[in-house]
Amino acid sequence: MPVAVSNLQRRTRVSPARLRTVARRALAALGRADREVHVTVVDDRRIRALNTRYLGIRRATDVLAFDLAGPGPGRLWGEVIVSVETAARQARRGECPAARRRIHRRP
């Protein structure tokens, strides 16, 4: 499987199948359909901690991406971490494509 999806938050419903589809299409568009990417969905608290740790920026962000491709025949190309809370706020403010506006809060 070229795309692995993990949902580590519970506030917002996400579709792992849709995330896999989008990631596979992106890999294909980049000519990397043979590579693997991991997508992890988190909340603002977790992405803020990662942003602080890796970039020294003490605030939440919508996406962090890590290039994990190394020399040799390894299939893993990268890790993408998405804060669903920040992405939802940006979608409500119209700061992103309409496709991302399908994020819904759980009742």
Side-chain angles (χ1 to χ4, degrees), residues 51-99:
N51 208 18
T52 300
R53 179 177 179 182
Y54 292 106
L55 298 177
I57 300 170
R58 294 181 180 184
R59 63 180 164 81
T61 186
D62 57 346
V63 176
L64 290 172
F66 298 93
D67 179 358
L68 301 177
R75 289 180 38 99
L76 183 58
W77 198 41
E79 173 79 28
V80 178
I81 303 169
V82 180
S83 169
V84 73
E85 291 173 304
T86 298
R89 276 194 308 277
Q90 290 174 342
R92 284 191 300 273
R93 291 191 307 241
E95 296 177 11
C96 64

Side-chain angles (χ1 to χ4, degrees), residues 40-54:
T40 305
V41 180
V42 299
D43 57 20
D44 276 353
R45 182 188 59 79
R46 188 167 293 196
I47 208 158
R48 184 179 307 110
L50 292 169
N51 208 18
T52 300
R53 179 177 179 182
Y54 292 106

Side-chain angles (χ1 to χ4, degrees), residues 1 3 6 53 82 99-100:
M1 171 193 310
V3 178
S6 298
R53 179 177 179 182
V82 180
R100 286 178 62 187

